[in-house]
Amino acid sequence: MAEPLHVLVAGAGVAGVEALLALRDLGRDRVRLTLLAPGDEWVSPPLAVGEPFGAAHAGRYPLGDLVARTGARHVRGALESVDVAGHRVRTDRGEELAYDALVLGLGADPQPAFERATTFNPFAPDAVAGLLRDIEEGYVHKLAILVPAEPHWPLPAYELALLTRRQATGMGQDHVEITVVTAEDAPLGLFGPRSSEAVAEELEAAGVRVESAAHVELSPGRATTVALGPGGRSFDVDRVLALPRLQPRAVAGVPADEDGFLAVDEHSRVRGADDVYAAGDGTDFPVKMGGIAAAQADAAAHHIAHRAGARDGEPEPFHPILRGMLMGGEQTRWMRRDLDTPPEHEAVADHALWWPPGKIAGRYIAPYVAALEKAGAQRAAT
């Protein structure tokens, strides 16, 4: 190719950041990068579950550093529509941008899955903070934490349960009953039987009850009644905290499935849209987590770099590996499972199973975040 391939990355979440870093490394001077994102920072939400408890925080990092590191051009705005045939996008500010390849890392928006429930939103921790105040003041004696059946990442529910138990005990409210109600057959069963057993042990040690394989219905009343499916038993609670269902962000001009998610192939190409790729929670892959988003972004970057003439051989396809770090229990549990292998090949340990250790296990974004955190700690120390 005489000219570098112009790649437009829309979105500055985990998928977008990973895509930019991967494209710069794999595509080198054969790609020209543009980032479309509305703000001047990007947020790493996986640790946000710990914010209301003072156990962790969601990392917030300047986009200027990412743009400088990758040599990308930053266009401020949000994606509004795509002209797939014309290889152009339109932003919410009315600007039109041309591209040779488009990577969609738009994510999905958390929406309430149940009425009369407090919905956990990693970008808005105040709701959980309010629940903790009610526990401290003695208004909550029975709490249910719900995991819906929609596409989701269930791990935060178990962290919320463990961290709430720890916080309640520290407040002198260790009598609070906490029950996790999940549509899963077993707690974090997607990681495999040994990991699920390890999680169950942490929950039992903390005095957290689990109702598995449950179809949840909430009945309003003086207290909230949690019914475990038609014909099942029910129990009353004072408050309900629920994980959200995820609503994909629709983009005019890009074909999506009936639920609004983008169907992608093994190279993260959007089916029915030439030269358009997608990664992250907005795709139709059923597990929604940062590590999966990063792996999908890597697959897109490999394919694009191959097209640009920067890589020889066949481009690496998407390889789904689950990596989960469960905090809040007596010890941190690290879990890993390659979804292309049987569940028995899982790994679970009380030490890190990947490097650098952290909530996001992406090939490029993990070391990048680790370097940012180290630099920030050094600045704070001086």
Side-chain angles (χ1 to χ4, degrees):
M1 296 179 63
E3 296 292 331
L5 195 76
H6 180 209
V7 186
L8 174 61
V9 177
V14 171
V17 173
E18 178 78 10
L20 280 178
L21 293 168
L23 284 163
R24 176 49 61 216
D25 179 61
L26 300 171
R28 299 185 176 89
D29 60 350
R30 300 309 309 148
V31 297
R32 177 167 60 92
L33 302 176
T34 298
L35 170 65
L36 176 62
D40 292 315
E41 68 175 12
W42 66 278
V43 180
S44 173
L47 285 172
V49 65
E51 280 195 309
F53 306 90
H57 69 280
R60 291 172 173 82
Y61 310 102
L63 276 177
D65 182 90
L66 178 69
V67 168
R69 187 176 297 245
T70 60
R73 171 194 173 209
H74 181 195
V75 176
R76 288 166 178 78
L79 184 64
E80 187 173 88
S81 63
V82 179
D83 176 2
V84 174
H87 283 62
R88 302 184 70 84
V89 305
R90 186 175 181 85
T91 77
D92 61 344
R93 302 184 182 187
E95 188 173 357
E96 289 194 354
L97 304 172
Y99 67 83
D100 296 315
L102 173 64
V103 181
L104 302 176
L106 304 176
D109 294 319
Q111 301 292 331
F114 302 95
E115 295 182 3
R116 293 182 58 81
T118 298
T119 300
F120 170 70
N121 184 339
F123 300 102
D126 288 349
V128 176
L131 171 63
L132 294 177
R133 286 193 296 271
D134 287 347
I135 291 175
E136 183 176 22
E137 293 171 7
Y139 297 124
V140 178
H141 303 282
K142 296 181 179 180
L143 171 68
I145 299 177
L146 307 185
V147 181
E150 285 85 359
H152 62 282
W153 177 231
L155 188 147
Y158 302 103
E159 291 184 319
L160 287 168
L162 292 169
L163 290 167
T164 300
R165 165 60 68 212
R166 178 186 295 180
Q167 192 84 351
T169 300
M171 295 170 175
Q173 303 287 357
D174 52 359
H175 62 278
V176 175
E177 297 179 12
I178 302 174
T179 304
V180 177
V181 184
T182 178
E184 305 165 279
D185 291 333
L188 292 186
L190 71 172
F191 278 99
R194 288 192 293 116
S195 295
S196 182
E197 182 178 351
V199 174
E201 289 174 358
E202 290 290 343
L203 294 167
E204 183 178 5
V208 175
R209 194 171 87 234
V210 178
E211 296 283 355
S212 302
H215 173 78
V216 179
E217 297 175 0
L218 298 183
S219 302
R222 184 174 180 181
T224 296
T225 299
V226 179
L228 305 179
R233 67 183 188 83
S234 62
F235 58 96
D236 288 343
V237 295
D238 301 308
R239 291 286 293 276
V240 176
L241 177 62
L243 294 190
R245 62 178 179 85
L246 296 178
Q247 179 64 46
R249 298 168 185 170
V251 179
V254 181
D257 65 18
E258 60 182 8
D259 296 316
F261 293 96
L262 303 177
V264 295
D265 67 10
E266 69 275 15
H267 298 295
S268 296
R269 294 175 294 189
V270 176
R271 300 184 188 278
D274 292 341
D275 301 322
V276 179
Y277 301 76
D281 291 353
T283 71
D284 62 346
F285 194 78
V287 181
K288 311 298 182 183
M289 61 171 294
I292 291 296
Q296 290 179 316
D298 289 341
H302 272 277
H303 195 269
I304 292 169
H306 177 76
R307 286 180 51 196
R311 307 286 293 181
D312 295 327
E314 292 297 317
E316 292 184 17
F318 167 55
H319 189 53
I321 297 178
L322 301 182
R323 295 179 176 91
M325 168 189 163
L326 180 76
M327 60 184 183
E330 293 182 352
Q331 56 186 328
T332 299
R333 299 283 186 164
W334 301 79
M335 298 161 286
R336 183 186 185 280
R337 182 190 166 194
D338 185 335
L339 292 182
D340 288 337
T341 64
E344 296 77 24
H345 294 179
E346 64 179 311
V348 57
D350 57 5
H351 60 269
L353 295 173
W354 55 87
W355 191 265
K359 278 286 193 178
I360 299 178
R363 185 178 301 178
Y364 294 95
I365 194 172
Y368 176 60
V369 168
L372 290 176
E373 294 287 356
K374 181 179 180 181
Q378 290 174 341
R379 286 194 298 270
T382 59

